[in-house]
Amino acid sequence: MRELVVLGTASQVPTRQRNHNGYFLRWDGEGLLFDPGEGTQRQMLYAGVSAASITGIGITHFHGDHCLGLPGVLGRLNLDRVAHPVDVWFPADDHDYFEKLSEIVPRQRDPGLRPHPIPADGPVPVPDMPFRLEAVALSHRVATFGYRLAEPDGRRMLPERLAAFGISGPDIGELQRTGALALPGGRTVTLDEVSTLRRGQRFAFVMDTRMCSGVEELAQDADMLVIESTFLDDDVSLAHEFGHLTAAEAAQVAEAAGVRTLVLTHFSQRYPDLDGHRTEASKYFHGELVVAEDLMRVPVPTRR
């Protein structure tokens, strides 16, 4: 199963309908929790997300609406006696904030946290996880990184091509392992002749930032892009002043990057309803548009 579970969609101030940030990505056997804001542990209960399903936690930056739920989540890992390691990624510039947050809840036992401070753009450690995770710097008022998950490309075997060459059984596995197979009579068949590229899926997560090259890099060819759209274009000057995006900006970058499913979130409390966000984004983005709501589930689209 690959899906996004939206735990909260507010920005700095929660509302009656919107909890602070929290996003849980189920990716086969992995569970990545991004930006656990205040109240995340309770939202997990409502959404049916167990602490035991968390294998990694990604924090974009240390503003409260993106990190104040971390102590509760770590406490729950202890309480539930989660035995497996949990990797945590965060900006290295604010390592001291991570230490303070992680020490708020006394640990009866070590849940196996593996902190990974991020000093700069590039791949981050993902021990034992079946994908690559990259961090890219964004433009906000404090050190901020977005995340991009990329599954390795694979090959899809073409039955009609295999049959044409008379390849079957164990020979198929041999061809997949070595990339070539010698046939009787001296003919050699390569993997490219009997298969096609199966592109790995991409997921991108972009929070608090002005428009910058990092946003474009993270969004490029993403199957799903989860991105902040704190303001509408009428308030674009506020967005830029405080280091945020508008719904129109998020939609334009998604369209240009070839995003398939665009998930807008992180909405300012100044907007009691989100019809304006949908209308504004729809002018520019022509893929699947999701205006996130708390406790919503959004499936990662199937492979292209």
Side-chain angles (χ1 to χ4, degrees):
M1 179 184 294
R2 296 182 179 182
E3 67 172 1
L4 175 74
V5 183
V6 180
L7 302 174
T9 58
S11 56
Q12 189 173 24
V13 178
T15 71
R16 293 178 184 273
Q17 292 78 34
R18 303 176 205 146
N19 196 73
H20 272 147
N21 288 284
Y23 309 89
F24 182 74
L25 178 66
R26 297 186 194 274
W27 193 275
D28 301 337
E30 306 295 336
L32 304 185
L33 176 64
F34 291 100
D35 280 7
E38 187 177 349
T40 291
Q41 185 184 176
R42 188 164 185 264
Q43 295 295 93
M44 287 169 55
L45 178 65
Y46 281 131
V49 175
S50 68
S53 62
I54 298 172
T55 56
I57 301 173
I59 297 174
T60 59
H61 65 293
F62 284 97
H63 279 162
D65 53 321
H66 296 262
C67 68
L68 286 182
L70 181 62
V73 171
L74 298 183
R76 190 57 182 269
L77 292 172
N78 277 304
L79 182 65
D80 290 1
R81 298 183 177 275
V82 173
H84 60 254
V86 176
D87 296 284
V88 188
W89 308 280
F90 55 88
D93 285 357
D94 293 321
H95 196 165
D96 56 334
Y97 287 127
F98 171 76
E99 292 296 333
K100 291 172 182 175
L101 286 171
S102 64
E103 291 170 0
I104 287 175
V105 179
R107 299 182 187 174
Q108 285 74 40
R109 59 183 299 278
D110 188 344
L113 287 184
R114 297 191 295 205
H116 303 291
I118 302 170
D121 290 14
V124 299
V126 284
D128 307 319
M129 294 184 183
F131 45 70
R132 183 175 70 255
L133 188 65
E134 296 178 303
V136 177
L138 298 172
S139 175
H140 194 42
R141 292 174 291 162
V142 298
T144 303
F145 286 93
Y147 294 97
R148 178 179 172 85
L149 181 156
E151 178 185 37
D153 292 337
R155 306 293 303 185
R156 182 171 65 85
M157 305 303 287
L158 302 174
E160 67 279 8
R161 296 293 295 160
L162 291 168
F165 286 107
I167 302 172
S168 62
D171 286 342
I172 297 176
E174 177 69 17
L175 180 56
Q176 289 174 315
R177 285 191 300 273
T178 64
L181 181 70
L183 299 180
R187 174 73 158 90
T188 297
V189 176
T190 65
L191 185 60
D192 287 342
E193 293 179 272
V194 294
S195 68
T196 186
L197 181 69
R198 185 188 66 188
R199 182 180 175 277
Q201 289 183 302
R202 273 76 167 150
F203 169 87
F205 186 77
V206 176
M207 285 294 126
D208 298 22
T209 183
R210 302 172 184 87
M211 186 58 68
C212 63
S213 61
V215 177
E216 298 169 344
E217 181 179 345
L218 289 160
Q220 190 61 48
D221 295 324
D223 294 283
M224 176 181 285
L225 170 64
V226 180
I227 188 168
E228 69 120 310
S229 53
T230 310
F231 294 98
L232 294 176
D233 254 1
D234 286 345
D235 298 309
V236 67
S237 60
L238 282 177
H240 294 173
E241 178 182 355
F242 292 104
H244 289 291
L245 298 172
T246 67
E249 289 175 321
Q252 288 175 68
V253 76
E255 182 70 16
V259 169
R260 299 175 65 200
T261 297
L262 171 63
V263 181
L264 301 181
T265 187
H266 194 276
F267 307 115
S268 169
Q269 73 274 13
R270 69 178 54 232
Y271 306 110
D273 67 69
L274 301 174
D275 290 344
H277 287 71
R278 182 179 299 279
T279 299
E280 192 166 286
S282 296
K283 294 177 183 177
Y284 305 100
F285 182 70
H286 302 100
E288 181 187 8
L289 173 62
V290 177
V291 179
E293 300 175 4
D294 286 26
L295 308 182
M296 173 184 282
R297 281 176 152 77
V298 187
V300 176
T302 56
R303 288 187 177 87
R304 296 177 190 269

